[in-house]
Amino acid sequence: MDLRNKVRILNNYLQTKNFNKVIEEGKKLIKKIPNNDYILNLVGMAYQGKSQFKYSIQFFEESLKFNPSNIAAMNNFANSLKALGNFERAKKLYEQIIDKDPNYIRAYNNLANLKTSYNDYNGAIELYKNAINIINKDDKIPKSTTLDFMFSLAVAYQGFNKIKESKEIIEEILLIDSSHAGAHKLKSSMMKYSNDNLDSIDHLKK
């Protein structure tokens, strides 16, 4: 069996979350082809899928040693670092990815999510908006991806207490997908919040 078919099989194992098989077969291939950054990245992703981040970062670092331009490995490396609590290093990697490839929307999403984790909602909002602008220029990106970013933007607006802007995004989402569960849930929570505030105001007036 040639290398291409072996890699295809590894990808299939990864897609079906058979992480142990990816690790087992991937390591066999690495012994024969130790400088293949793609296979090293796949094994790292398998360890990442098992939440064994101390191992995953070893394979991502090795992958990047052989191919520093492997954006996917760089993004995966940053994700594992973030999972281990190394936020500053993860942040720098996401920023490097965006510099190298301004259209790599996963990095925008991951960096924005990182920023929301330490309440930098304004920074997250700008990243989500930039990603949405990129997505809107590419017809090949599925509608579901657009909705994911729009929903994340609505959540970030809410976290930044920009309720009006959050509501506007939610209404846009529901125009595209009227059954979007996340948008309905967020809309309901904001309505409850508004009603609770009105009740508090009425109570103060009495």
Side-chain angles (χ1 to χ4, degrees):
M1 188 184 297
D2 64 15
L3 179 61
R4 185 177 296 179
N5 282 328
K6 289 178 180 179
V7 169
R8 180 180 55 79
I9 290 168
L10 283 183
N11 271 309
N12 288 339
Y13 286 142
L14 192 66
Q15 293 299 318
T16 56
K17 298 186 177 181
N18 192 343
F19 301 129
N20 289 333
K21 201 68 177 173
V22 177
I23 292 165
E24 179 188 341
E25 298 300 325
K27 284 183 174 180
K28 288 178 184 176
L29 285 176
I30 289 167
K31 284 183 179 179
K32 296 177 182 177
I33 321 165
N35 62 346
N36 189 298
D37 62 291
Y38 189 86
I39 297 170
L40 287 161
N41 182 51
L42 287 178
V43 175
M45 289 173 72
Y47 275 117
Q48 191 167 257
K50 287 164 65 71
S51 298
Q52 294 181 359
F53 303 109
K54 288 183 180 180
Y55 295 111
S56 65
I57 61 172
Q58 294 174 17
F59 283 89
F60 295 139
E61 282 186 300
E62 195 72 8
S63 174
L64 290 167
K65 184 175 80 175
F66 293 115
N67 183 5
S69 299
N70 189 329
I71 297 294
M74 195 181 293
N75 184 63
N76 291 329
F77 184 27
N79 289 341
S80 284
L81 288 169
K82 182 172 71 172
L84 289 170
N86 195 338
F87 299 142
E88 192 57 37
R89 194 175 176 194
K91 176 176 174 286
K92 287 178 181 177
L93 275 171
Y94 291 136
E95 289 171 344
Q96 286 175 27
I97 294 166
I98 292 169
D99 285 339
K100 284 176 178 285
D101 185 355
N103 292 320
Y104 194 81
I105 58 172
R106 289 182 183 179
Y108 288 89
N109 184 58
N110 292 331
L111 180 56
N113 290 342
L114 179 60
K115 285 179 178 288
T116 59
S117 70
Y118 48 80
N119 299 325
D120 181 8
Y121 291 105
N122 196 40
I125 286 165
E126 289 306 309
L127 287 161
Y128 289 132
K129 287 166 73 173
N130 288 340
I132 290 167
N133 287 335
I134 292 166
I135 292 167
N136 288 338
K137 294 174 184 176
D138 191 341
D139 296 333
K140 294 177 183 177
I141 297 175
K143 181 179 71 175
S144 58
T145 302
T146 308
L147 292 175
D148 287 344
F149 275 93
M150 289 175 71
F151 180 69
S152 295
L153 177 59
V155 172
Y157 271 132
Q158 187 189 44
F160 202 46
N161 206 28
K162 291 191 172 184
I163 305 302
K164 179 186 173 185
E165 288 86 347
S166 184
K167 284 181 178 178
E168 287 173 354
I169 297 295
I170 288 168
E171 293 304 327
E172 284 184 49
I173 292 170
L174 293 173
L175 282 173
I176 299 168
D177 180 3
S178 60
S179 62
H180 193 285
H184 281 293
K185 187 175 180 180
L186 191 59
K187 185 176 181 179
S188 296
S189 70
M190 284 194 292
M191 287 175 67
K192 184 178 184 302
Y193 175 79
S194 298
N195 290 336
D196 288 346
N197 278 350
L198 287 172
D199 288 343
S200 298
I201 292 167
D202 289 341
H203 178 72
L204 289 171
K205 287 179 180 177
K206 291 179 181 177

